[in-house]
Amino acid sequence: MEHHQHRDEPVLNKSVPVRHPGRWVSAVIILLLVAAFLQSLFTNPNFRWDIVGTYILDVKVVQGVGWTLLLTVASMVLAIVLAILLAVMRQSDNPVFRWTSWVWVWFFRGTPVYTQLVFWGLVTVLYPAFTLGIPFGPELFSYALSDPSKGLIPAILGLGLNESAYLAEIFRAGLKSVDKGQQEAAEALGMSKGKIMWRIILPQAMRIIVPPTGNETIGMLKTTSLVLAVPFTLDLTFATNALANRIYLPIPLLIVAAFWYLLVTSILMVGQHYLEAYYGKGVDNAAPAAVNPAAAKAAGPGADAQRSMKTDFPEESAR
């Protein structure tokens, strides 16, 4: 009898883990390259790490970081406000609104941001004064245009208007991702279109909008290095270039600028991660739903056996 039971017992296969020699070889090659790069980084005297340490907290550099952040935040705020308006206009039933939004996106996406910055820097040359009067008749009011901000306002306008065209398409894609049935249901409840947009459509669209908007914000931080075209001469890139030209050592000051850009970008990436997690709650997390103990007990042992079968034998459960 004992021999019969021993004969009927299942024989377990001894599985052999799959070996991946290619992974180990590629990992070793990468580690060797990283080690060679680090050795060059810390032993090459031309990097002049002493100059990097001297200027990394220089007053002009820190002020340049502050101006760069101000440009980034102000330009993104302007771009987001305009992008929401443009995306709503693109979804409008009014053909004038739709075509106006399309032409805006077409123009600002089709011309380089550097060219737009140069234009905004020269806008007072094209329009030296703001006049109000009768067309082809006498002037009733005239105001001489000037730029007391020393290039800050033209830089924000150039960056913000250019970015609004890209964000408008991102926002439009986010708005279209929400099922139209929800808007129809809200209209059936008597909600106004404005309330539907702000209370129902936008909160759901933010899951699609936030990731690319975070990427555009990081891109805007680096695009501020072009504001010399306005010209605006207080940002981080100009500050480090000015110091490099003064001491005739460009490489250490480039490292200083790269360090600050990387630091601010890393902080923005952390903020983007938490924003994505916030707006993706209930959708992006793959955690299994919590089991109610009382309901599981009421279901009896059959439910436990079925759950065990799904866990231990997923292929049998699928069949």
Side-chain angles (χ1 to χ4, degrees):
M1 184 67 180
E2 293 178 2
H3 178 71
H4 178 72
Q5 288 180 347
H6 179 72
R7 186 178 58 188
D8 293 338
E9 289 179 357
V11 178
L12 299 178
N13 294 327
K14 293 184 178 180
S15 59
V16 178
V18 179
R19 293 178 174 85
H20 301 282
R23 295 181 183 179
W24 290 103
V25 172
S26 58
V28 169
I29 293 174
I30 292 174
L31 289 175
L32 289 175
L33 291 175
V34 170
F37 173 73
L38 291 176
Q39 180 186 7
S40 172
L41 200 65
F42 291 106
T43 58
N44 190 336
N46 294 324
F47 281 105
R48 296 299 303 270
W49 292 106
D50 55 329
I51 302 298
V52 174
T54 301
Y55 286 98
I56 199 166
L57 294 176
D58 185 81
V59 175
K60 294 293 184 181
V61 172
V62 175
Q63 288 177 348
V65 174
W67 284 110
T68 297
L69 290 174
L70 176 62
L71 283 169
T72 302
V73 173
S75 302
M76 287 303 298
V77 169
L78 175 63
I80 288 171
V81 172
L82 290 175
I84 293 174
L85 181 62
L86 291 168
V88 173
M89 289 171 64
R90 193 73 177 271
Q91 302 286 99
S92 174
D93 297 330
N94 190 323
V96 176
F97 286 168
R98 289 201 308 271
W99 278 100
T100 301
S101 175
W102 184 88
V103 170
W104 181 287
V105 172
W106 166 77
F107 177 79
F108 284 102
R109 285 174 61 184
T111 54
V113 62
Y114 189 87
T115 303
Q116 295 176 34
L117 288 170
V118 172
F119 170 82
W120 285 107
L122 298 174
V123 71
T124 54
V125 176
L126 290 172
Y127 302 100
F130 172 76
T131 59
L132 182 63
I134 300 173
F136 305 103
E139 295 181 0
L140 303 177
F141 173 78
S142 180
Y143 176 75
L145 295 178
S146 61
D147 180 24
S149 67
K150 297 181 180 179
L152 177 63
I153 293 177
I156 292 173
L157 286 174
L159 294 173
L161 296 182
N162 178 267
E163 185 61 35
S164 67
Y166 295 91
L167 288 182
E169 292 298 287
I170 293 173
F171 285 16
R172 184 172 68 92
L175 294 177
K176 293 189 70 172
S177 68
V178 181
D179 187 72
K180 288 186 177 180
Q182 301 196 34
Q183 181 175 351
E184 295 171 355
E187 290 175 350
L189 293 174
M191 296 179 67
S192 64
K193 288 188 176 181
K195 184 174 287 187
I196 293 172
M197 178 61 64
W198 291 103
R199 299 289 298 274
I200 295 177
I201 305 298
L202 267 181
Q204 298 181 73
M206 290 299 288
R207 185 175 63 88
I208 307 298
I209 291 172
V210 166
T213 302
N215 293 337
E216 291 294 319
T217 304
I218 293 172
M220 175 63 75
L221 174 74
K222 293 174 286 186
T223 307
T224 57
S225 61
L226 300 177
V227 293
L228 178 62
V230 173
F232 182 74
T233 58
L234 296 175
D235 67 295
L236 175 59
T237 297
F238 186 88
T240 52
N241 285 343
L243 290 172
N245 293 333
R246 191 177 71 186
I247 64 175
Y248 302 104
L249 292 172
I251 293 178
L253 273 301
L254 286 174
I255 295 174
V256 170
F259 167 80
W260 281 108
Y261 280 119
L262 283 172
L263 178 62
V264 178
T265 299
S266 302
I267 295 172
L268 291 176
M269 289 175 65
V270 172
Q272 178 184 353
H273 168 75
Y274 283 105
L275 272 177
E276 291 182 16
Y278 175 79
Y279 285 106
K281 286 188 297 188
V283 178
D284 294 339
N285 51 357
V291 179
N292 190 335
K297 185 177 181 181
D304 294 335
Q306 187 176 7
R307 280 196 301 272
S308 176
M309 185 186 73
K310 288 181 179 180
T311 304
D312 298 336
F313 305 96
E315 64 280 358
E316 293 294 333
S317 175
R319 283 199 290 269

